[in-house]
Amino acid sequence: MAHGTSRAFIGVGRCAHQHAWWILGFWIVLAAGLNIAIPQLEVTVSKTSADFLPSSLAANQHLEQMADDFGVPPSNAVSSVVLVDENGFDAQDEAYYGRLVDRLTTSDDVAYLIDFYGKPVTRESAVSPDGKAVHLLVAAEGSVGSTRAHHAAQGIRTQIDAADPPSGLQTFYTGPTATLADLFSAIDFSLLIITGVSILLISIIVFAVYRKISTAAVPLVTLALGLAVVRPIVSFLGQHGWISISNFTIAIMTALVLGAVTDYAIFTLASYHEGRRRNLPVGDAVAAASGRTAPILIASALTIAVASGSMIFTKIGMFRTAGPPTAIAVLVVLLLALTLPPALLSIMGRHRLAEPGPSTERRWRRRGATIMRRAGVYATASLVFLIGCAGLLLGHQTNWDESSMFVYANESTRGYDEVYDHYGVNAIATEYLIVRADHDLRNTADLAALELAADAVARIDDVATVRSITRPDGTPLAESAAGYVPGRVGHELDGAAEQVRTARPDLVRLATGVEQLSDGADHAAARMPELVAGTDQVVTMATGVLDSLDAAQRFVDAATGGRTDLAQATNALRRSLDTVGPIAADLRSAASAVQPAIDAFDRTFGPLLTRRDSAECTADPRCAAARAAFDHLDRATGGDARRTLTRLRTAAAIPGEAADRATRSTVALRGLLEELQGLLSQLDGRTTDQIRSDLHRLRGGVDQLATGIDQLADGLHQVKDGTAQITDLTDRLHAGLKQATDYLGDMSAATSAGPGRGFYLPPEAMSNPRMVEGGKLLISPNGHTARMMVTWKINPYSAEALAASRELAPAAQAALVGTGLADAQVSNTGLASLSADMNDQLLRDLVLFGLAAIIAVSVVLMVLLRSIVAPLVLVGTVLLSFAAVLGISTLVWQHLIGIPLDWSVAPVAGMALIAVGADYSMLFASRIREESAGRGLASGVIRGFGSTGGVITTAGMVFAITMFALMAGTTFNLVQIGFTIGLGLLVDVLVVRSVLVPATITVLGDRMWWPARAA
């Protein structure tokens, strides 16, 4: 390509003039045929939209791997259903929740659910503190931002409505995936408005500039046919998977195509008018216009194509779907711009319908002369202005909060508001911390390590709560605290003490029985002298009676009238003694029966009742433990326990001794009676009445002895029962102490050393319902992967959260050092880490495609201008202009409006401004170089100003207005992109191209064209 007029394209212009109607017809038929044969771009995008997140993002891979570990379909399209009832979550709401879970579980649009509310033991963690809201985590099918995920979001909302929510219950499908689905829907709706507003604004400007419908029709018809052709072509390529497309393709491509094709038509129209002002015939003017503008159009299209096409090297879905399709579209409309405007001008020129209006060249030349006279001042002033504006970038913040991008509230944004209102934090934007090991983690040592990791993460300033297998509802299991086991020991000992307290009535009964036994034994002892005295009297009487037995018999006969003799009386007395024998035998049998109990008492309590420990008891752990427990009991009762049991043992021996004495006495009496019976014949001087009185006294004593023995027997029964109670109580006390000993031993072994000291989970805690149910959600089926759910105190979209997300895995990994999980793989994923990875990828993409675009544009400019310095200067001014505009936009949006620039603004605006800004500077510099030939640089600058000032300003205003039309959208990212690019084009036209570039060229002089010779 050469400067000035191209002979080759003069021929193209002449051909367009000769076959104007055929060219017009060709483009009309082509546009109609393509739109009939190929689905509209919106339809194709709705079916084949590319993924939003790059699959190479570490957080994205971790999220999909986590799903695979837990046996659910891999999905990164995670959001939540939030249910709110301002009157409190009631039974009707709970029934709806159950219906909703059932429907979502069987829905083809849902990959998996994480249902904390459905499990009674984990329900509390899903309910808001005020009890008015509940959330359910739902992973949709497809990748976030993709067509499948978008359709899945719509399907999930259908299921939410179909489950028939009760009146008073509000339902919100919200979260990252739902937000993106709403964002894309808003963009789809905005595109119609933006396209209509763009065409309307372009029409108004074109009519205002040319003031003739026929002249304005040239760019407008070119614009209409350009859109009609490129849209189906891009749709066709996207339909067959040859390029990636999304609704960003429609928005960005449409805006750039509208601006570019209109500019190209304006360039051609301006060159045609220039020829007509020189009185060239229509055909010659058309040919000259083609010859002069075609190289510029080609260079311009190439700069836009290489700048946008360089986005093919990026990985973020928005850039890959916006850049390459735009490059293809611009190259297509280049073909149209090279042929259709000349054909239209030829048709209208023949009827004098596109004649030029008054020229503004003189006014622009005067401006050029003014700048040349003070080029250094103007160059310095414009540089100071641009650098000062660029300095505003020092406070620039990248906005990753997609929920803040809606001009109008919608379901997802209202859902976020409800979550903040009822939970106080963004409880649905969960961050996952994942720990993977090569073995089952469900053991005390590894659970202790996981608790250390959870505790370390929970201590990070920006973290609100951490839910893990050791804290499934966000708070550590009570069983896991080191103080839990001592508490259990205390509980067991307290239970033993309570059993002792409950058994106190039995001890009272034992004491009462012992007292009765003592009273009976005392009474029997008191009556024994009488029995001895009576026996002595009988012996004495028997001795005296032996000498006079015959006389006694005669006396008895005489006394009884022969009815009773002495032998009969003696037999009667003997029979009386026979009744005493069984009683003594029973007493002896009772004493024998209680003896084993007394022996067991001695064995059990003997070592305990001594004041000093014996060596045998000290060597026996059980005896020593029982001794310690009894000493504690004795101290608790003030010594009553040892005194009572000592007295009981002493009293328990009395019944046996009394039984022996009674038996011996009975035997002695029987012998005496036998002797008496033998000596009755010797009773001399004793009457029957006297003998009967003696026998009566003897019987009375024996009866009293029997009564005392009965009391002694009753007391012994109570002693037996009380002893059994004490034995049972001792057994239970021993069991409790044994369990306490086992607890303390296990705890000591598990927590006395190592990084897990202070954490202990007893075996029965593994069956704790909270752990069982929570574990299903927080540990993989094979037990090799554990995940922790982290809730932020701060906005998870904020820069603070993005930075803090980088701290989670290192903090957990550091906590695992020295444990059995020191070599485990630790990673995290979620909204914040995905955004952080996206931010890193954004920087890489910016550097990559930015360098590619700058190099490509520089090469195009070098070829066109045949210079090295000029392209570098022009690209430098464009970059400075871009930085300045981004600074101004940061000031307006971040500091004045309060909505930081969306992450997509800088890349898209940079791509557009580098391409289009370089176009205008290139056109201007090329014209200056052309006009300088044979006239000198000063004349070239002035004449270049005059010939291009109006057309570049008009083209820039049209392009800027096209970009400003994006502000008619209902999403702030489109509004910010439109504002930034539109403002950038105005700055480029009004400052860079009109002041900085000509001033710089003037200052540099012919060095501007190095290494080429001066023109």
Side-chain angles (χ1 to χ4, degrees):
M1 291 179 288
H3 309 300
T5 303
S6 169
R7 294 182 180 273
F9 284 104
I10 288 177
V12 173
R14 293 193 184 280
C15 181
H17 174 67
Q18 294 171 2
H19 305 287
W21 285 105
W22 285 102
I23 292 174
L24 177 60
F26 167 79
W27 286 110
I28 292 175
V29 171
L30 179 64
L34 290 174
N35 281 274
I36 293 173
I38 300 172
Q40 289 298 306
L41 184 56
E42 288 79 6
V43 175
T44 303
V45 167
S46 69
K47 295 179 179 179
T48 61
S49 182
D51 294 351
F52 181 74
L53 292 177
S55 59
S56 60
L57 292 184
N60 188 37
Q61 294 175 350
H62 294 325
L63 190 61
E64 294 181 353
Q65 181 61 44
M66 180 186 72
D68 183 65
D69 290 341
F70 281 80
V72 296
S75 171
N76 57 22
V78 179
S79 277
S80 294
V81 178
V82 178
L83 312 177
V84 178
D85 191 330
E86 294 299 340
N87 297 319
F89 214 69
D90 56 24
Q92 285 187 331
D93 301 332
E94 187 169 341
Y96 167 77
Y97 181 91
R99 294 194 302 271
L100 176 62
V101 170
D102 291 341
R103 297 185 72 94
L104 292 178
T105 302
T106 58
S107 173
D108 293 335
D109 293 319
V110 176
Y112 62 88
L113 305 176
I114 297 183
D115 178 15
F116 276 92
Y117 185 78
K119 308 292 188 300
V121 293
T122 58
R123 175 168 295 180
E124 185 177 350
S125 63
V127 181
S128 63
D130 60 10
K132 298 179 180 180
V134 169
H135 70 86
L136 169 67
L137 190 145
V138 182
E141 287 286 354
S143 178
V144 62
S146 67
T147 297
R148 181 68 185 94
H150 185 68
H151 291 168
Q154 296 173 340
I156 290 171
R157 284 193 167 122
T158 300
Q159 295 293 346
I160 293 173
D161 295 335
D164 190 22
S167 60
L169 180 68
Q170 303 176 74
T171 61
F172 304 93
Y173 179 54
T174 184
T177 300
T179 298
L180 278 179
D182 289 343
L183 184 65
F184 291 167
S185 296
I187 291 175
D188 290 340
F189 175 75
S190 299
L191 292 176
L192 297 175
I193 301 175
I194 291 170
T195 304
V197 170
S198 298
I199 294 174
L200 176 63
L201 292 177
I202 290 173
S203 300
I204 292 173
I205 291 180
V206 170
F207 281 125
V209 171
Y210 297 109
R211 301 181 182 180
K212 291 182 181 179
I213 295 177
S214 57
T215 305
V218 174
L220 293 180
V221 171
T222 305
L223 180 154
L225 287 176
L227 280 181
V229 170
V230 299
R231 283 169 51 87
I233 290 176
V234 172
S235 177
F236 177 81
L237 296 175
Q239 184 181 23
H240 289 80
W242 294 338
I243 60 173
S244 298
I245 59 175
S246 69
N247 48 16
F248 290 104
T249 303
I250 305 174
I252 305 304
M253 182 197 74
T254 299
L256 287 176
V257 166
L258 283 174
V261 75
T262 305
D263 279 3
Y264 296 163
I266 290 174
F267 290 164
T268 303
L269 184 57
S271 186
Y272 171 78
H273 284 168
E274 197 174 334
R276 292 295 290 165
R277 289 191 184 99
R278 297 201 304 268
N279 296 319
L280 292 177
V282 171
D284 293 342
V286 169
S290 293
R292 169 165 285 182
T293 60
I296 301 298
L297 299 187
I298 293 173
S300 173
L302 287 176
T303 56
I304 296 177
V306 296
S308 56
S310 61
M311 284 188 168
I312 197 171
F313 300 112
T314 64
K315 293 185 177 181
I316 295 178
M318 176 182 176
F319 304 152
R320 292 182 64 87
T321 60
T326 299
I328 294 172
V330 168
L331 293 177
V332 171
V333 297
L334 172 64
L335 298 177
L336 180 138
L338 292 174
T339 56
L340 183 59
L344 291 173
L345 289 172
S346 177
I347 292 171
M348 293 181 179
R350 294 167 186 171
H351 300 86
R352 302 185 66 82
L353 295 177
E355 294 304 299
S359 175
T360 60
E361 186 172 345
R362 289 183 178 275
R363 186 175 67 224
W364 285 103
R365 285 188 177 185
R366 286 196 297 270
R367 179 176 297 180
T370 301
I371 291 175
M372 283 196 64
R373 283 195 295 268
R374 298 183 178 179
V377 175
Y378 279 104
T380 302
S382 57
L383 285 174
V384 169
F385 169 75
L386 294 175
I387 293 173
C389 292
L392 296 171
L393 285 174
L394 294 176
H396 175 77
Q397 296 178 2
T398 301
N399 188 357
W400 288 95
D401 189 354
E402 302 295 353
S403 65
S404 67
M405 289 294 106
F406 297 95
V407 176
Y408 306 105
N410 54 42
E411 180 178 346
S412 62
T413 59
R414 289 194 296 270
Y416 275 126
D417 293 340
E418 293 290 341
V419 169
Y420 277 113
D421 287 344
H422 293 284
Y423 289 88
V425 295
N426 195 332
I428 61 175
T430 304
E431 188 78 11
Y432 298 94
L433 182 71
I434 307 165
V435 180
R436 291 188 181 89
D438 57 0
H439 60 275
D440 196 327
L441 301 173
R442 290 168 293 193
N443 58 79
T444 297
D446 287 341
L447 291 177
L450 291 175
E451 174 58 21
L452 288 175
D455 182 67
V457 172
R459 292 177 184 276
I460 296 176
D461 291 339
D462 296 324
V463 171
T465 59
V466 177
R467 279 179 278 175
S468 71
I469 184 66
T470 59
R471 46 176 75 190
D473 56 4
T475 56
L477 290 170
E479 296 87 343
S480 68
Y484 172 77
V485 171
R488 284 292 303 271
V489 173
H491 175 73
E492 295 296 334
L493 293 177
D494 184 65
E498 178 63 21
Q499 291 174 357
V500 171
R501 188 193 64 80
T502 304
R504 189 174 184 280
D506 297 328
L507 294 176
V508 172
R509 286 176 53 209
L510 177 61
T512 302
V514 170
E515 183 178 1
Q516 292 177 354
L517 179 62
S518 178
D519 292 342
D522 291 343
H523 189 64
R527 299 297 296 172
M528 287 303 292
E530 296 181 11
L531 180 61
V532 173
T535 303
D536 288 342
Q537 291 178 6
V538 171
V539 171
T540 301
M541 287 190 297
T543 302
V545 171
L546 287 176
D547 297 335
S548 56
L549 182 60
D550 293 336
Q553 180 64 50
R554 290 192 298 272
F555 178 81
V556 171
D557 289 339
T560 61
R563 292 175 295 175
T564 302
D565 57 14
L566 186 58
Q568 291 174 336
T570 304
N571 289 335
L573 180 59
R574 187 175 181 179
R575 286 194 298 274
S576 297
L577 286 175
D578 289 340
T579 62
V580 176
I583 294 174
D586 291 342
L587 181 61
R588 185 167 54 253
S589 176
S592 298
V594 81
Q595 187 61 40
I598 295 173
D599 295 339
F601 184 92
D602 289 338
R603 289 192 302 272
T604 302
F605 288 92
L608 308 182
L609 298 177
T610 61
R611 291 294 181 179
R612 294 184 179 180
D613 294 345
S614 64
E616 292 81 4
C617 184
T618 303
D620 186 353
R622 293 179 298 175
C623 179
R627 169 84 184 193
F630 185 78
D631 288 342
H632 179 73
L633 175 63
D634 187 53
R635 287 193 299 272
T637 59
D640 289 341
R642 180 173 275 107
R643 286 193 295 272
T644 300
L645 291 181
T646 302
R647 292 172 182 173
L648 173 63
R649 176 61 185 87
T650 302
I654 294 175
E657 297 172 0
D660 292 338
R661 292 174 184 173
T663 300
R664 289 192 299 270
S665 298
T666 303
V667 172
L669 286 175
R670 187 180 298 278
L672 290 175
L673 287 176
E674 289 177 354
E675 293 179 3
L676 180 61
Q677 190 177 25
L679 297 174
L680 280 177
S681 59
Q682 299 179 7
L683 296 178
D684 186 15
R686 299 289 292 174
T687 65
T688 305
D689 293 334
Q690 290 173 328
I691 295 173
R692 184 179 293 110
S693 176
D694 292 337
L695 293 174
H696 179 73
R697 288 169 53 201
L698 180 60
R699 179 176 294 172
V702 172
D703 289 341
Q704 291 177 3
L705 176 61
T707 301
I709 295 302
D710 289 340
Q711 293 178 355
L712 182 61
D714 291 339
L716 288 175
H717 285 301
Q718 294 186 27
V719 169
K720 180 181 179 180
D721 294 339
T723 303
Q725 291 284 344
I726 290 176
T727 302
D728 180 65
L729 178 62
T730 303
D731 291 340
R732 284 184 285 172
L733 180 61
H734 177 267
L737 292 173
K738 179 67 168 61
Q739 186 175 11
T741 302
D742 292 342
Y743 265 111
L744 290 173
D746 292 345
M747 177 184 176
S748 175
T751 62
S752 60
R757 57 181 180 268
F759 174 94
Y760 175 64
L761 204 60
E764 60 265 29
M766 299 299 294
S767 60
N768 183 301
R770 289 172 64 208
M771 177 164 284
V772 173
E773 297 298 334
K776 294 177 181 178
L777 302 175
L778 297 170
I779 197 164
S780 63
N782 65 1
H784 289 199
T785 301
R787 65 181 170 192
M788 304 177 191
M789 303 178 69
V790 180
T791 302
W792 298 105
K793 292 179 183 177
I794 54 179
N795 182 357
Y797 288 102
S798 66
E800 293 79 8
L802 269 61
S805 70
R806 301 304 194 197
E807 301 177 21
L808 301 185
Q813 190 74 67
L816 296 177
V817 172
T819 72
L821 298 180
D823 297 328
Q825 178 187 350
V826 182
S827 58
N828 61 286
T829 183
L831 178 59
S833 54
L834 282 169
S835 298
D837 283 357
M838 281 284 284
N839 189 59
D840 293 342
Q841 186 62 52
L842 174 66
L843 296 177
R844 289 192 294 267
D845 284 354
L846 274 174
V847 172
L848 186 62
F849 96 79
L851 288 176
I854 291 170
I855 292 172
V857 169
S858 299
V859 170
V860 171
L861 292 178
M862 288 177 185
V863 172
L864 177 68
L865 299 176
R866 298 180 180 178
S867 170
I868 294 178
V869 174
L872 295 179
V873 170
L874 297 181
V875 170
T877 59
V878 169
L879 292 177
L880 180 58
S881 172
F882 167 63
V885 169
L886 201 60
I888 297 173
S889 194
T890 298
L891 173 65
V892 172
W893 287 99
Q894 179 176 318
H895 299 293
L896 299 181
I897 298 178
I899 304 176
L901 292 178
D902 186 66
W903 59 272
S904 62
V905 173
V908 174
M911 180 266 292
L913 292 177
I914 289 173
V916 180
D919 274 359
Y920 296 155
S921 295
M922 175 189 62
L923 175 61
F924 184 45
S926 178
R927 193 59 180 265
I928 289 175
R929 181 117 185 239
E930 179 185 346
E931 296 290 352
S932 298
R935 301 187 181 90
L937 183 62
S939 176
V941 171
I942 295 174
R943 294 175 66 86
F945 242 111
S947 59
T948 63
V951 64
I952 291 180
T953 300
T954 300
M957 294 296 293
V958 168
F959 217 137
I961 290 298
T962 304
M963 293 295 104
F964 281 133
L966 290 172
M967 297 180 67
T970 59
T971 62
F972 280 117
N973 51 359
L974 290 181
V975 173
Q976 291 175 341
I977 289 173
F979 175 84
T980 304
I981 298 178
L983 180 64
L985 291 172
L986 292 181
V987 169
D988 186 80
V989 169
L990 301 178
V991 178
V992 176
R993 200 276 311 171
S994 297
V995 178
L996 181 58
V997 170
T1000 301
I1001 292 175
T1002 302
V1003 171
L1004 292 178
D1006 289 334
R1007 293 186 296 273
M1008 180 77 173
W1009 317 115
W1010 185 88
R1013 293 178 179 271

